[in-house]
Amino acid sequence: MSEPREEVLLGNEAIARGIVESGCHVVTSYPGTPSSEILPAVVRFKKELSLNTHVEWSINEKVAYEVALAASYTGKRAAVVMKQVGLNVAADPLMSSAYTGVKGGFVIVSCDDPGPHSSQTEQDTRFYALFAKVPALDPSSPREAKEMVKAAFELSERHRLPVILRPAIRVSHARQNVEFAPVATLERPADFVKDPGRWAATPRFRLQLHKELNEKLDSIREEFETSDLNTSLRGQDRRLGFIACGSCYSVLRDTLKEWDLEGRFPILKIGTAHPLPQKLVGGFIAGCEQVLVLEEPDAVVELQILDKGKVVGRLNGVVPAAGELTPEVICQLLAQKAGELGIELPQEIDTGHLAQLVADLGLPVRRPRLCPGCMHRAAFFGMKRALGSKAIYPGDIGCYTLGLNLNAVDTCLDMGGAVTIASGLYQAYHQDGKDVPIAATIGDSTFLHSGVTALSSAVHNGARFVLVILDNSTTAMTGMQPTADSGVLADGNMGQRVAIRDLVQACGVRFIEEVDPYEVREFEALVKRAREHTRKPNGGIAVVIAKRPCVLYDASPLQENPVRVTVSEDCDGCEYCQIAFECPALVLDENLGRVVVDRRVCVNCGVCIEACPKGCIVEAGE
Ligand code: SF4
Ligand code: SF4
């Protein structure tokens, strides 16, 4: 069967297609919004085209980076994929590999999350390009993202440097018709040529490599001056010009078209965000009275502009210093600039129409909550019942961060942060001779990502706390990617299983117990015993593995053993269950003055029977 010539693709799928068409041999990743769809799409194309590409969900971004980098050392093409905060984890090899350089094309796809929609920070990956002194390309659409992947591999091989492709969320998650091209067949048998002065350089050689890196960067900048990755559009009205990057460029073009202003103002689209082609940018600015820079999430291009005399943007507060540049924000900026410059707009601008349309729908405002039947809720509820509100609850990154709503997550820093924060809190109180209950929670994937090293350090240094590993058998928040504990590989085949329990044991933990958190009383009793272990003279850290599959990932245990509940007429509507347990299926019926079960969302887990202290939630009869 021949391949289709064109398909509507998600930006991330277009990036995957670009990776495959470039003849890339090795693709590694750790999931994280907005990058998670890229590796599964590579797997899809690999299967459709019967390719020999090695794909893997690595245990974390640093590991993913280094595995792909090593493939590049052998002359193969390699790509590593992650979200922007993932690059913090991989920053160490990024900095070092900029010095050593690469052999086969090596592309880092790091997806940014301006907003942020699903991240701890809205940091700008492009700053890492400046920091590490590597090139960064910034696509404005899915179609361009695919082409930029190819350009990135070629650039990487020409200059023997890692190259960053930085799509922001509106490119990663946009959809567009994308043309397919043939897949490059690159015969690259692995050929690692020993060169200790490069691959194992000592500090003396590193100085030389740094000078070499600076020279590479200068020649890349020169190349970017005439690169077709940047686009200059003419405009007669030179009182205002735009420098625009990424999806801001697409929004700007659409808005000007909608306002009958297409072609009026000069626009410079910068696709090569670093190193900035200074002559191109300087020449553009010289031809305008004022230039508005539109980029996100931060002022990376603006910061690199040498003469900012005519430039306005994020740095001088004209563009908001934080947050996504949505179409509404860009419309407001354009309307404001037009007004200031006395430019008459050909039609009345209504910047708030989209927000108004949404408001008119009258949708109820709902805060994010754990799903009905979620095992995390049961675990948090049992944990709170065991240790009360005086305990400190360090949390971690995952859907279980929503334990915040149940007052069962007091801190959330980064991947693995629950274990280190718990350890640090213990040491701080212990120093003052105080014994404060501390119970940390971390997901299975997050534990494998960064919890293992933290736990071994905590054990080694004598910390004492309860660690609840919320093991729902998948990486739920980012789309059900398999974990190493499941043994399933990125392409669906089985690999070697890495058991969490064995890792915990290997870290030196003596108290390890596993329990189904749906068994709330048993779970509560176990957490109490775990706490006691932390206080015994010969005790230490106690690990409780709360094990039950995510209800969205595997509903079969619920289907096999449904527990249908009802709320009795004795319910007085005190709302305790709604506040302390927060299942979306328990709703207050204002007319009845009591809580009822919303059958449309209830999944018959039966855990809420434990949530009413007055025993009003009961198993329903036939
Ligand atoms: S079910 Fe129980 S906890 Fe919930 S509102 Fe009724 S009486 Fe209160
Ligand atoms: S049985 Fe109770 S806890 Fe489970 S989904 Fe239904 S209402 Fe929620």
Side-chain angles (χ1 to χ4, degrees):
M1 195 177 74
S2 64
E3 267 208 294
R5 291 187 55 237
E6 188 174 281
E7 209 177 282
V8 178
L9 293 183
L10 201 64
N12 280 345
E13 293 166 336
I15 290 167
R17 182 71 200 183
I19 290 172
V20 168
E21 286 180 8
S22 300
C24 185
H25 305 88
V26 171
V27 191
T28 62
S29 182
Y30 184 81
T33 308
S35 72
S36 306
E37 300 85 1
I38 297 176
L39 193 74
V42 172
V43 171
R44 179 197 135 192
F45 294 126
K46 167 190 152 104
K47 287 183 175 173
E48 284 174 2
L49 300 165
S50 303
L51 301 172
N52 185 28
T53 322
H54 172 74
V55 286
E56 74 169 54
W57 288 118
S58 304
I59 217 96
N60 65 32
E61 294 85 353
K62 179 179 184 289
V63 172
Y65 191 106
E66 290 166 4
V67 169
L69 180 67
S72 159
Y73 284 179
T74 72
K76 290 179 184 279
R77 284 193 167 178
V80 57
V81 179
M82 62 194 75
K83 69 181 291 180
Q84 90 284 20
V85 289
L87 196 52
N88 298 339
V89 179
D92 205 358
L94 167 67
M95 304 305 286
S96 193
S97 60
Y99 277 43
T100 61
V102 300
K103 188 174 167 192
F106 180 58
V107 176
I108 304 145
V109 182
S110 176
C111 304
D112 280 1
D113 184 16
H117 298 268
S118 185
S119 304
Q120 308 93 293
T121 69
E122 56 171 2
Q123 67 189 61
D124 196 319
T125 285
R126 299 172 304 164
F127 274 127
Y128 269 115
L130 270 72
F131 192 18
K133 298 189 171 179
V134 298
L137 307 182
D138 188 358
S140 61
S141 67
R143 220 178 274 156
E144 191 182 36
K146 173 172 163 273
E147 294 313 311
M148 275 190 175
V149 170
K150 296 180 176 183
F153 274 112
E154 283 157 19
L155 185 68
S156 171
E157 286 186 353
R158 265 200 307 283
H159 298 275
R160 303 229 157 175
L161 258 189
V163 174
I164 294 176
L165 180 84
R166 189 297 300 253
I169 192 167
R170 299 295 174 189
V171 172
S172 284
H173 288 173
R175 284 186 187 273
Q176 193 176 30
N177 265 25
V178 177
E179 267 189 46
F180 286 6
V183 172
T185 312
L186 303 177
E187 291 301 333
R188 299 261 181 102
D191 180 22
F192 176 69
V193 179
K194 295 190 182 196
D195 180 3
R198 177 170 301 280
W199 308 129
T202 54
R204 188 164 65 85
F205 288 110
R206 293 276 165 173
L207 177 63
Q208 188 51 40
L209 291 175
H210 189 186
K211 287 177 184 166
E212 192 182 281
L213 174 59
N214 288 339
E215 286 164 13
K216 285 180 184 177
L217 213 54
D218 285 344
S219 80
I220 291 169
R221 188 190 307 279
E222 208 49 47
E223 193 179 314
F224 283 173
E225 295 290 356
T226 54
S227 167
D228 56 12
L229 299 173
N230 303 312
T231 313
S232 188
L233 303 176
R234 290 173 197 276
Q236 284 82 40
D237 194 338
R238 299 192 152 261
R239 287 177 295 169
L240 181 64
F242 298 96
I243 292 179
C245 313
S247 55
C248 298
Y249 170 76
S250 304
V251 173
L252 174 68
R253 294 283 310 272
D254 285 352
T255 309
L256 291 174
K257 192 173 174 188
E258 201 180 315
W259 293 359
D260 294 328
L261 291 172
E262 201 176 20
R264 179 162 176 177
F265 305 107
I267 301 173
L268 178 62
K269 173 186 161 306
I270 291 292
T272 62
H274 180 259
L276 194 65
Q278 294 292 357
K279 282 180 255 177
L280 177 70
V281 171
F284 177 82
I285 294 171
C288 303
E289 286 180 23
Q290 189 180 74
V291 171
L292 176 63
V293 182
L294 296 172
E295 60 179 323
E296 59 184 7
D298 225 313
V300 175
V301 163
E302 192 183 343
L303 206 65
Q304 293 177 79
I305 294 172
L306 298 176
D307 182 356
K308 298 185 182 62
K310 294 180 184 176
V311 174
V312 292
R314 289 197 189 255
L315 292 179
N316 55 14
V318 170
V319 178
E324 193 176 10
L325 295 188
T326 59
E328 289 72 28
V329 174
I330 290 183
C331 283
Q332 278 163 8
L333 283 166
L334 293 189
Q336 181 193 327
K337 275 288 131 204
E340 278 173 22
L341 296 171
I343 298 169
E344 209 172 302
L345 296 173
Q347 63 188 66
E348 200 177 317
I349 306 305
D350 176 10
T351 57
H353 64 287
L354 189 60
Q356 193 53 51
L357 276 175
V358 174
D360 289 348
L361 291 173
L363 299 171
V365 180
R366 291 200 180 99
R367 65 174 179 169
R369 287 190 288 187
L370 295 166
C371 302
C374 176
M375 71 87 139
H376 299 326
R377 174 183 294 104
F380 285 130
F381 187 72
M383 203 170 79
K384 283 293 301 280
R385 263 205 338 206
L387 301 179
S389 56
K390 292 224 169 88
I392 307 175
Y393 298 103
D396 220 297
I397 308 287
C399 39
Y400 53 88
T401 310
L402 291 172
L404 269 169
N405 299 349
L406 305 172
N407 297 320
V409 168
D410 294 323
T411 67
C412 178
L413 184 68
D414 60 5
M415 297 286 280
V419 185
T420 41
I421 294 290
S423 183
L425 288 170
Y426 168 80
Q427 302 294 5
Y429 279 102
H430 180 66
Q431 190 171 50
D432 297 347
K434 290 189 179 154
D435 172 38
V436 174
I438 299 165
T441 46
I442 188 168
D444 45 355
S445 187
T446 310
F447 178 73
L448 291 161
H449 179 290
S450 291
V452 182
T453 44
L455 183 59
S456 57
S457 180
V459 171
H460 172 64
N461 288 292
R464 287 166 177 245
F465 54 87
V466 177
L467 175 63
V468 178
I469 299 178
L470 299 162
D471 183 357
N472 61 1
S473 309
T474 187
T475 318
M477 189 168 74
T478 51
M480 311 296 172
Q481 294 81 11
T483 68
D485 186 85
S486 73
V488 180
L489 299 173
D491 58 8
N493 291 324
M494 280 307 287
Q496 179 75 40
R497 186 179 168 226
V498 178
I500 286 176
R501 191 187 181 101
D502 294 349
L503 288 173
V504 172
Q505 198 163 16
C507 287
V509 176
R510 308 264 174 272
F511 184 108
I512 314 167
E513 297 278 348
E514 189 173 302
V515 68
D516 177 352
Y518 270 23
E519 303 299 331
V520 176
R521 289 179 190 207
E522 199 185 318
F523 184 80
E524 182 186 341
L526 178 55
V527 172
K528 281 183 180 158
R529 274 203 289 125
R531 164 68 180 143
E532 283 314 307
H533 178 78
T534 67
R535 307 179 74 187
K536 285 182 183 159
N538 60 347
I541 292 173
V543 171
V544 173
I545 302 175
K547 194 161 179 67
R548 177 169 264 269
C550 162
V551 283
L552 301 184
Y553 172 66
D554 179 7
S556 58
L558 272 181
Q559 285 158 355
E560 283 159 20
N561 188 22
V563 181
R564 195 177 151 87
V565 299
T566 189
V567 182
S568 75
E569 289 183 2
D570 296 336
C571 166
D572 59 11
C574 73
E575 296 184 71
Y576 172 83
C577 58
Q578 290 188 297
I579 295 162
F581 193 68
E582 209 192 37
C583 175
L586 293 175
V587 288
L588 185 68
D589 185 318
E590 303 280 354
N591 294 327
L592 294 174
R594 63 181 169 90
V595 157
V596 294
V597 177
D598 184 344
R599 299 270 169 229
R600 293 167 304 173
V601 285
C602 174
V603 295
N604 300 322
C605 72
V607 180
C608 55
I609 289 173
E610 288 292 332
C612 175
K614 299 160 204 159
C616 298
I617 305 179
V618 292
E619 198 165 346
E622 285 304 308

